[in-house]
Amino acid sequence: MSDVSPLAVPEPFGQCSSGCVCGMRELIAREREHGPRDADEVNAPEMRALLGAVRNGYETVRSDPRLIERRHAAVTKYGRARRHLNRMRVSIGEQQVGRAAADLERALGRAATEGRRRPAWLRWLRWPVVLGIGLFDVWYFSQVFRYLTSQTGDATDGGQHRLTMIIETAVAVLPGLVLAVVIAASAEMLLRPLHAWRAAAFLRPEPLRNASWIARLRRGLGAVHRGLLRLAWWLLPVGFVAFLLAVIAWWSALRAEYPTPPDKYPLGAVVALIVLLAVGTMAVKILADDPVADDVASARRKLWRLRLAYSLRSRRADLLIHAYDSAWSDLRTLRDDLQGLLRIKMLSAWESFILRVRSLHQMTGNVTAAPWPTDGDRPGITQEFTGVSQPALEFGPLIEICRLIDERDPDDLRTELRALGDRYAEQLAAGSPASREATPSG
């Protein structure tokens, strides 16, 4: 049977070597000399261990390379999203979409009261026709002007310098381009006299009441004059079609006469074909003239471009906010990780030194753990034990991280983007349903 009483406390350092320098023996002896103390009283060695945990935690946080990297990434991505939203706010504040929708509504109103419009296909094809005849003129007349600008007057001369030939070719192309522009400009020039001609030919004079015979004679002569103008107006398309058919018939006869390309075509046939192409291009340009329809198409294109621009900006804003949300989440993860690390540093001081020493000298009572928060908030770094005073942890650069997380929530950016979308929808709704469904057309 053992001689040791069950109430006796065994010597905790009985197995220590004589050369032990850890100091635990002296701490235990000193505590036993002072006698019992309250559990919430922290003495100097214990406070020294807690302060060491604070310093160690601060050094660990300060030297963490993730702090600078993730803070810079979050600040950069937030700045990009904020600047993009500011540009969207300025664009929407200029009321461009609202004015474009109103312009389209007015243009549609004018088109509804101006009568029948030109066929849409004719307006769509006018510029391709002008461009096509322009390319032909560039190819055809470049040969003519190259002959005129050659040094010897003979384009087949092979003794010219290569650089000179390149310059002559480039210069010879320019008149062809000018001819294409002149043809389009000539059609625009003819529009004004043709409109005046049509207005004079189809003028409806007011009825005469109690007029003299001279006034009635003038009215009759004016009616005859308008009749001649109207006849000439209707003969214009007839004459053009007759000219077109004549040239086609002429070249059909030439094709039948010459099964293979001859050395030289008749001069009149070539001239008539070139003139037909130029006059036909001007005719297409003149027939496609419809200012009211052009205004509607221009208003639709403008509104479509603005809607497309807003759609692209909104999509980019979503991408920028999503990128910032990811960086913000990484910043929160880093904050939680470092706060947990600081807490572990403090707990390590308690676990590896304070509670160990207290369990050996048994001069203090048991500490009580602080209650876990029950208000639904995320638990922060608080006192680990009820009633025990301990030094506050030093967060250092982690304070700035917490400020960025609290003040720059990505949900605020999403709320602002939704508000801008509401303002954009209000401007778009100011127009008619037709303007809200506008798509680009000729």
Side-chain angles (χ1 to χ4, degrees), residues 146-185:
R146 183 180 178 186
Y147 172 80
L148 295 176
T149 56
S150 63
Q151 293 179 351
T152 62
D154 185 4
T156 61
D157 185 7
Q160 302 180 63
H161 192 269
R162 182 180 298 273
L163 179 60
T164 303
M165 294 181 63
I166 295 175
I167 295 176
E168 290 179 356
T169 302
V171 172
V173 168
L174 294 178
L177 294 174
V178 173
L179 278 177
V181 176
V182 168
I183 290 175

mmCIF file of all heavy atoms in Angstrom, residues 146-185:
data_model
loop_
_atom_site.group_PDB
_atom_site.id
_atom_site.type_symbol
_atom_site.label_atom_id
_atom_site.label_comp_id
_atom_site.label_asym_id
_atom_site.label_seq_id
_atom_site.Cartn_x
_atom_site.Cartn_y
_atom_site.Cartn_z
ATOM 1 N N ARG A 146 -4.009 58.031 -116.186
ATOM 2 C CA ARG A 146 -2.624 57.573 -116.156
ATOM 3 C C ARG A 146 -1.961 57.827 -117.507
ATOM 4 O O ARG A 146 -0.782 58.209 -117.571
ATOM 5 C CB ARG A 146 -2.577 56.089 -115.805
ATOM 6 C CG ARG A 146 -1.161 55.562 -115.678
ATOM 7 C CD ARG A 146 -1.143 54.104 -115.323
ATOM 8 N NE ARG A 146 0.218 53.604 -115.254
ATOM 9 C CZ ARG A 146 0.542 52.326 -115.064
ATOM 10 N NH1 ARG A 146 -0.415 51.424 -114.923
ATOM 11 N NH2 ARG A 146 1.804 51.953 -115.013
ATOM 12 N N TYR A 147 -2.712 57.641 -118.572
ATOM 13 C CA TYR A 147 -2.171 57.948 -119.901
ATOM 14 C C TYR A 147 -1.885 59.438 -120.027
ATOM 15 O O TYR A 147 -0.860 59.862 -120.552
ATOM 16 C CB TYR A 147 -3.171 57.500 -120.973
ATOM 17 C CG TYR A 147 -2.802 57.945 -122.364
ATOM 18 C CD1 TYR A 147 -1.844 57.250 -123.108
ATOM 19 C CD2 TYR A 147 -3.389 59.070 -122.933
ATOM 20 C CE1 TYR A 147 -1.497 57.665 -124.385
ATOM 21 C CE2 TYR A 147 -3.044 59.497 -124.201
ATOM 22 C CZ TYR A 147 -2.099 58.784 -124.936
ATOM 23 O OH TYR A 147 -1.752 59.205 -126.186
ATOM 24 N N LEU A 148 -2.810 60.271 -119.480
ATOM 25 C CA LEU A 148 -2.627 61.717 -119.600
ATOM 26 C C LEU A 148 -1.465 62.226 -118.771
ATOM 27 O O LEU A 148 -0.851 63.245 -119.109
ATOM 28 C CB LEU A 148 -3.919 62.436 -119.196
ATOM 29 C CG LEU A 148 -5.134 62.191 -120.096
ATOM 30 C CD1 LEU A 148 -6.351 62.892 -119.515
ATOM 31 C CD2 LEU A 148 -4.871 62.674 -121.519
ATOM 32 N N THR A 149 -1.165 61.551 -117.637
ATOM 33 C CA THR A 149 -0.118 62.034 -116.732
ATOM 34 C C THR A 149 1.212 61.346 -116.937
ATOM 35 O O THR A 149 2.169 61.643 -116.218
ATOM 36 C CB THR A 149 -0.555 61.823 -115.271
ATOM 37 O OG1 THR A 149 -0.856 60.432 -115.068
ATOM 38 C CG2 THR A 149 -1.788 62.654 -114.948
ATOM 39 N N SER A 150 1.299 60.412 -117.880
ATOM 40 C CA SER A 150 2.575 59.741 -118.103
ATOM 41 C C SER A 150 3.579 60.709 -118.706
ATOM 42 O O SER A 150 3.219 61.690 -119.364
ATOM 43 C CB SER A 150 2.391 58.530 -119.022
ATOM 44 O OG SER A 150 1.934 58.947 -120.292
ATOM 45 N N GLN A 151 4.850 60.446 -118.501
ATOM 46 C CA GLN A 151 5.889 61.373 -118.932
ATOM 47 C C GLN A 151 5.973 61.483 -120.451
ATOM 48 O O GLN A 151 6.271 62.539 -120.999
ATOM 49 C CB GLN A 151 7.244 60.923 -118.373
ATOM 50 C CG GLN A 151 7.348 61.032 -116.858
ATOM 51 C CD GLN A 151 8.685 60.560 -116.361
ATOM 52 O OE1 GLN A 151 9.483 59.996 -117.121
ATOM 53 N NE2 GLN A 151 8.960 60.791 -115.092
ATOM 54 N N THR A 152 5.710 60.382 -121.144
ATOM 55 C CA THR A 152 5.847 60.382 -122.601
ATOM 56 C C THR A 152 4.523 60.476 -123.317
ATOM 57 O O THR A 152 4.487 60.520 -124.537
ATOM 58 C CB THR A 152 6.560 59.099 -123.045
ATOM 59 O OG1 THR A 152 5.757 57.972 -122.678
ATOM 60 C CG2 THR A 152 7.911 58.973 -122.361
ATOM 61 N N GLY A 153 3.393 60.449 -122.543
ATOM 62 C CA GLY A 153 2.095 60.425 -123.192
ATOM 63 C C GLY A 153 1.714 59.045 -123.651
ATOM 64 O O GLY A 153 0.692 58.865 -124.306
ATOM 65 N N ASP A 154 2.505 58.051 -123.309
ATOM 66 C CA ASP A 154 2.241 56.677 -123.743
ATOM 67 C C ASP A 154 2.320 55.798 -122.512
ATOM 68 O O ASP A 154 3.394 55.596 -121.947
ATOM 69 C CB ASP A 154 3.264 56.236 -124.787
ATOM 70 C CG ASP A 154 2.952 54.852 -125.345
ATOM 71 O OD1 ASP A 154 1.899 54.304 -124.965
ATOM 72 O OD2 ASP A 154 3.751 54.348 -126.151
ATOM 73 N N ALA A 155 1.184 55.258 -122.091
ATOM 74 C CA ALA A 155 1.146 54.439 -120.874
ATOM 75 C C ALA A 155 1.845 53.119 -121.044
ATOM 76 O O ALA A 155 2.129 52.431 -120.072
ATOM 77 C CB ALA A 155 -0.307 54.197 -120.451
ATOM 78 N N THR A 156 2.144 52.715 -122.255
ATOM 79 C CA THR A 156 2.792 51.419 -122.475
ATOM 80 C C THR A 156 4.302 51.531 -122.493
ATOM 81 O O THR A 156 4.992 50.551 -122.707
ATOM 82 C CB THR A 156 2.316 50.823 -123.800
ATOM 83 O OG1 THR A 156 2.692 51.707 -124.868
ATOM 84 C CG2 THR A 156 0.803 50.643 -123.799
ATOM 85 N N ASP A 157 4.810 52.713 -122.323
ATOM 86 C CA ASP A 157 6.260 52.888 -122.331
ATOM 87 C C ASP A 157 6.867 52.170 -121.143
ATOM 88 O O ASP A 157 6.477 52.397 -120.004
ATOM 89 C CB ASP A 157 6.594 54.381 -122.281
ATOM 90 C CG ASP A 157 8.088 54.619 -122.417
ATOM 91 O OD1 ASP A 157 8.811 53.643 -122.681
ATOM 92 O OD2 ASP A 157 8.517 55.782 -122.257
ATOM 93 N N GLY A 158 7.817 51.320 -121.382
ATOM 94 C CA GLY A 158 8.408 50.531 -120.308
ATOM 95 C C GLY A 158 9.653 51.136 -119.737
ATOM 96 O O GLY A 158 10.322 50.506 -118.920
ATOM 97 N N GLY A 159 10.019 52.335 -120.131
ATOM 98 C CA GLY A 159 11.257 52.928 -119.655
ATOM 99 C C GLY A 159 11.086 53.810 -118.447
ATOM 100 O O GLY A 159 12.041 54.482 -118.038
ATOM 101 N N GLN A 160 9.909 53.846 -117.854
ATOM 102 C CA GLN A 160 9.685 54.709 -116.701
ATOM 103 C C GLN A 160 10.257 54.093 -115.437
ATOM 104 O O GLN A 160 10.344 52.885 -115.297
ATOM 105 C CB GLN A 160 8.198 54.982 -116.512
ATOM 106 C CG GLN A 160 7.542 55.633 -117.716
ATOM 107 C CD GLN A 160 6.077 55.868 -117.449
ATOM 108 O OE1 GLN A 160 5.736 56.622 -116.563
ATOM 109 N NE2 GLN A 160 5.234 55.232 -118.213
ATOM 110 N N HIS A 161 10.642 54.950 -114.549
ATOM 111 C CA HIS A 161 11.157 54.498 -113.269
ATOM 112 C C HIS A 161 10.025 53.930 -112.428
ATOM 113 O O HIS A 161 8.879 54.378 -112.528
ATOM 114 C CB HIS A 161 11.833 55.663 -112.547
ATOM 115 C CG HIS A 161 12.637 55.234 -111.364
ATOM 116 N ND1 HIS A 161 12.115 55.164 -110.098
ATOM 117 C CD2 HIS A 161 13.939 54.843 -111.269
ATOM 118 C CE1 HIS A 161 13.045 54.760 -109.270
ATOM 119 N NE2 HIS A 161 14.159 54.555 -109.937
ATOM 120 N N ARG A 162 10.349 52.925 -111.607
ATOM 121 C CA ARG A 162 9.306 52.276 -110.798
ATOM 122 C C ARG A 162 8.607 53.261 -109.867
ATOM 123 O O ARG A 162 7.374 53.245 -109.728
ATOM 124 C CB ARG A 162 9.923 51.140 -109.980
ATOM 125 C CG ARG A 162 8.919 50.358 -109.137
ATOM 126 C CD ARG A 162 9.620 49.264 -108.365
ATOM 127 N NE ARG A 162 10.229 48.323 -109.275
ATOM 128 C CZ ARG A 162 9.590 47.260 -109.789
ATOM 129 N NH1 ARG A 162 8.308 47.063 -109.462
ATOM 130 N NH2 ARG A 162 10.193 46.436 -110.600
ATOM 131 N N LEU A 163 9.353 54.129 -109.228
ATOM 132 C CA LEU A 163 8.734 55.104 -108.318
ATOM 133 C C LEU A 163 7.815 56.049 -109.076
ATOM 134 O O LEU A 163 6.724 56.394 -108.609
ATOM 135 C CB LEU A 163 9.819 55.892 -107.587
ATOM 136 C CG LEU A 163 9.338 56.978 -106.613
ATOM 137 C CD1 LEU A 163 8.469 56.356 -105.519
ATOM 138 C CD2 LEU A 163 10.521 57.728 -106.006
ATOM 139 N N THR A 164 8.241 56.438 -110.283
ATOM 140 C CA THR A 164 7.406 57.325 -111.090
ATOM 141 C C THR A 164 6.095 56.643 -111.466
ATOM 142 O O THR A 164 5.022 57.268 -111.443
ATOM 143 C CB THR A 164 8.169 57.762 -112.347
ATOM 144 O OG1 THR A 164 9.393 58.382 -111.967
ATOM 145 C CG2 THR A 164 7.333 58.728 -113.176
ATOM 146 N N MET A 165 6.148 55.360 -111.780
ATOM 147 C CA MET A 165 4.937 54.621 -112.126
ATOM 148 C C MET A 165 3.992 54.525 -110.933
ATOM 149 O O MET A 165 2.771 54.653 -111.086
ATOM 150 C CB MET A 165 5.312 53.222 -112.622
ATOM 151 C CG MET A 165 6.085 53.215 -113.933
ATOM 152 S SD MET A 165 6.466 51.532 -114.479
ATOM 153 C CE MET A 165 4.829 50.881 -114.721
ATOM 154 N N ILE A 166 4.542 54.332 -109.756
ATOM 155 C CA ILE A 166 3.692 54.255 -108.566
ATOM 156 C C ILE A 166 3.004 55.588 -108.322
ATOM 157 O O ILE A 166 1.800 55.651 -108.019
ATOM 158 C CB ILE A 166 4.536 53.830 -107.345
ATOM 159 C CG1 ILE A 166 5.064 52.407 -107.525
ATOM 160 C CG2 ILE A 166 3.711 53.944 -106.062
ATOM 161 C CD1 ILE A 166 5.997 51.957 -106.419
ATOM 162 N N ILE A 167 3.745 56.689 -108.465
ATOM 163 C CA ILE A 167 3.159 58.007 -108.258
ATOM 164 C C ILE A 167 2.085 58.282 -109.297
ATOM 165 O O ILE A 167 1.002 58.804 -108.980
ATOM 166 C CB ILE A 167 4.258 59.082 -108.298
ATOM 167 C CG1 ILE A 167 5.231 58.890 -107.120
ATOM 168 C CG2 ILE A 167 3.654 60.477 -108.278
ATOM 169 C CD1 ILE A 167 6.395 59.846 -107.142
ATOM 170 N N GLU A 168 2.356 57.932 -110.542
ATOM 171 C CA GLU A 168 1.375 58.170 -111.598
ATOM 172 C C GLU A 168 0.109 57.351 -111.368
ATOM 173 O O GLU A 168 -1.012 57.833 -111.593
ATOM 174 C CB GLU A 168 1.982 57.831 -112.961
ATOM 175 C CG GLU A 168 3.057 58.806 -113.420
ATOM 176 C CD GLU A 168 3.636 58.417 -114.770
ATOM 177 O OE1 GLU A 168 3.223 57.351 -115.268
ATOM 178 O OE2 GLU A 168 4.467 59.150 -115.313
ATOM 179 N N THR A 169 0.280 56.115 -110.910
ATOM 180 C CA THR A 169 -0.902 55.284 -110.637
ATOM 181 C C THR A 169 -1.734 55.876 -109.510
ATOM 182 O O THR A 169 -2.976 55.933 -109.591
ATOM 183 C CB THR A 169 -0.464 53.861 -110.268
ATOM 184 O OG1 THR A 169 0.323 53.317 -111.341
ATOM 185 C CG2 THR A 169 -1.672 52.973 -110.013
ATOM 186 N N ALA A 170 -1.062 56.326 -108.448
ATOM 187 C CA ALA A 170 -1.798 56.924 -107.323
ATOM 188 C C ALA A 170 -2.510 58.199 -107.743
ATOM 189 O O ALA A 170 -3.660 58.448 -107.363
ATOM 190 C CB ALA A 170 -0.840 57.199 -106.168
ATOM 191 N N VAL A 171 -1.844 59.017 -108.525
ATOM 192 C CA VAL A 171 -2.462 60.261 -108.980
ATOM 193 C C VAL A 171 -3.618 59.984 -109.917
ATOM 194 O O VAL A 171 -4.640 60.681 -109.909
ATOM 195 C CB VAL A 171 -1.397 61.158 -109.652
ATOM 196 C CG1 VAL A 171 -2.051 62.371 -110.297
ATOM 197 C CG2 VAL A 171 -0.358 61.601 -108.636
ATOM 198 N N ALA A 172 -3.498 58.947 -110.744
ATOM 199 C CA ALA A 172 -4.562 58.635 -111.692
ATOM 200 C C ALA A 172 -5.818 58.129 -111.004
ATOM 201 O O ALA A 172 -6.918 58.222 -111.572
ATOM 202 C CB ALA A 172 -4.063 57.599 -112.695
ATOM 203 N N VAL A 173 -5.693 57.586 -109.780
ATOM 204 C CA VAL A 173 -6.867 57.079 -109.063
ATOM 205 C C VAL A 173 -7.702 58.229 -108.507
ATOM 206 O O VAL A 173 -8.935 58.127 -108.419
ATOM 207 C CB VAL A 173 -6.417 56.121 -107.936
ATOM 208 C CG1 VAL A 173 -7.575 55.806 -107.000
ATOM 209 C CG2 VAL A 173 -5.877 54.826 -108.536
ATOM 210 N N LEU A 174 -7.073 59.319 -108.161
ATOM 211 C CA LEU A 174 -7.786 60.425 -107.514
ATOM 212 C C LEU A 174 -8.909 60.998 -108.371
ATOM 213 O O LEU A 174 -10.008 61.246 -107.851
ATOM 214 C CB LEU A 174 -6.798 61.525 -107.132
ATOM 215 C CG LEU A 174 -5.773 61.154 -106.055
ATOM 216 C CD1 LEU A 174 -4.821 62.320 -105.809
ATOM 217 C CD2 LEU A 174 -6.481 60.765 -104.770
ATOM 218 N N PRO A 175 -8.721 61.237 -109.677
ATOM 219 C CA PRO A 175 -9.845 61.763 -110.460
ATOM 220 C C PRO A 175 -11.052 60.835 -110.485
ATOM 221 O O PRO A 175 -12.195 61.310 -110.530
ATOM 222 C CB PRO A 175 -9.247 61.938 -111.860
ATOM 223 C CG PRO A 175 -7.784 62.103 -111.624
ATOM 224 C CD PRO A 175 -7.482 61.220 -110.471
ATOM 225 N N GLY A 176 -10.818 59.523 -110.475
ATOM 226 C CA GLY A 176 -11.947 58.604 -110.422
ATOM 227 C C GLY A 176 -12.743 58.750 -109.140
ATOM 228 O O GLY A 176 -13.980 58.734 -109.154
ATOM 229 N N LEU A 177 -12.047 58.925 -108.023
ATOM 230 C CA LEU A 177 -12.744 59.157 -106.758
ATOM 231 C C LEU A 177 -13.515 60.477 -106.796
ATOM 232 O O LEU A 177 -14.650 60.561 -106.317
ATOM 233 C CB LEU A 177 -11.734 59.176 -105.612
ATOM 234 C CG LEU A 177 -11.014 57.857 -105.320
ATOM 235 C CD1 LEU A 177 -9.943 58.067 -104.254
ATOM 236 C CD2 LEU A 177 -11.994 56.791 -104.871
ATOM 237 N N VAL A 178 -12.882 61.486 -107.379
ATOM 238 C CA VAL A 178 -13.558 62.780 -107.473
ATOM 239 C C VAL A 178 -14.805 62.673 -108.338
ATOM 240 O O VAL A 178 -15.856 63.274 -108.027
ATOM 241 C CB VAL A 178 -12.585 63.836 -108.033
ATOM 242 C CG1 VAL A 178 -13.316 65.148 -108.301
ATOM 243 C CG2 VAL A 178 -11.428 64.060 -107.067
ATOM 244 N N LEU A 179 -14.734 61.907 -109.416
ATOM 245 C CA LEU A 179 -15.914 61.733 -110.279
ATOM 246 C C LEU A 179 -17.066 61.089 -109.516
ATOM 247 O O LEU A 179 -18.229 61.479 -109.678
ATOM 248 C CB LEU A 179 -15.546 60.891 -111.494
ATOM 249 C CG LEU A 179 -14.863 61.629 -112.658
ATOM 250 C CD1 LEU A 179 -14.489 60.635 -113.746
ATOM 251 C CD2 LEU A 179 -15.769 62.706 -113.209
ATOM 252 N N ALA A 180 -16.755 60.085 -108.685
ATOM 253 C CA ALA A 180 -17.811 59.439 -107.907
ATOM 254 C C ALA A 180 -18.465 60.435 -106.950
ATOM 255 O O ALA A 180 -19.697 60.473 -106.813
ATOM 256 C CB ALA A 180 -17.236 58.251 -107.132
ATOM 257 N N VAL A 181 -17.658 61.269 -106.309
ATOM 258 C CA VAL A 181 -18.210 62.281 -105.403
ATOM 259 C C VAL A 181 -19.007 63.316 -106.179
ATOM 260 O O VAL A 181 -20.073 63.768 -105.739
ATOM 261 C CB VAL A 181 -17.070 62.943 -104.599
ATOM 262 C CG1 VAL A 181 -17.608 64.065 -103.728
ATOM 263 C CG2 VAL A 181 -16.352 61.913 -103.740
ATOM 264 N N VAL A 182 -18.517 63.679 -107.347
ATOM 265 C CA VAL A 182 -19.225 64.676 -108.161
ATOM 266 C C VAL A 182 -20.578 64.149 -108.617
ATOM 267 O O VAL A 182 -21.573 64.884 -108.654
ATOM 268 C CB VAL A 182 -18.347 65.077 -109.369
ATOM 269 C CG1 VAL A 182 -19.155 65.879 -110.374
ATOM 270 C CG2 VAL A 182 -17.150 65.883 -108.897
ATOM 271 N N ILE A 183 -20.643 62.868 -108.976
ATOM 272 C CA ILE A 183 -21.923 62.288 -109.389
ATOM 273 C C ILE A 183 -22.926 62.356 -108.246
ATOM 274 O O ILE A 183 -24.096 62.748 -108.426
ATOM 275 C CB ILE A 183 -21.708 60.838 -109.870
ATOM 276 C CG1 ILE A 183 -20.952 60.835 -111.206
ATOM 277 C CG2 ILE A 183 -23.049 60.123 -110.018
ATOM 278 C CD1 ILE A 183 -20.589 59.449 -111.679
ATOM 279 N N ALA A 184 -22.479 61.971 -107.010
ATOM 280 C CA ALA A 184 -23.387 62.041 -105.861
ATOM 281 C C ALA A 184 -23.774 63.482 -105.562
ATOM 282 O O ALA A 184 -24.943 63.778 -105.266
ATOM 283 C CB ALA A 184 -22.727 61.396 -104.641
ATOM 284 N N ALA A 185 -22.819 64.415 -105.670
ATOM 285 C CA ALA A 185 -23.129 65.823 -105.419
ATOM 286 C C ALA A 185 -24.051 66.393 -106.490
ATOM 287 O O ALA A 185 -24.918 67.229 -106.202
ATOM 288 C CB ALA A 185 -21.838 66.625 -105.345
#
